[in-house]
Amino acid sequence: MLYNVCDDPDQNNYDLKVRMLMQSLSYTASVSDQRSAVGMTHMVGNMTIYGYVDCTRDVNGQDSTTCLLSATNSMPCSCLGKWVGWIATPTCNIQ
């Protein structure tokens, strides 16, 4: 797990947007042949939040979703409230 030590500018809205983006990308990646997805969401003003998720292709769609959502759910303990975060497991990662 890696994260930037800088705090985000609007923790209440930022954390919610990040979580929603990562959950959406997790479901998108699970139905993709590439087992990956990239996306973005906008905040008030000119701020754009980008996200990327991927899994190894040897896992099926359901296992991919489970792995990615598990990584997403671990974010409150580690990365939420920070500008940048990366959580990696042996089969999937979220950024």
Side-chain angles (χ1 to χ4, degrees), residues 4-60:
N4 186 318
V5 295
C6 296
D7 291 331
D8 65 67
D10 182 0
Q11 194 165 359
N12 294 330
N13 291 323
Y14 183 83
D15 289 355
L16 178 62
K17 289 279 195 173
V18 168
R19 178 174 299 288
M20 290 171 53
L21 175 62
M22 292 296 110
Q23 288 173 344
S24 174
L25 293 176
S26 296
Y27 290 113
T28 301
S30 70
V31 297
S32 163
D33 289 338
Q34 299 300 317
R35 294 287 184 258
S36 65
V38 64
M40 65 181 174
T41 189
H42 299 282
M43 295 215 25
V44 176
N46 292 330
M47 182 184 284
T48 303
I49 302 170
Y50 297 93
Y52 172 77
V53 302
D54 74 337
C55 278
T56 58
R57 286 185 226 143
D58 62 331
V59 297
N60 65 34

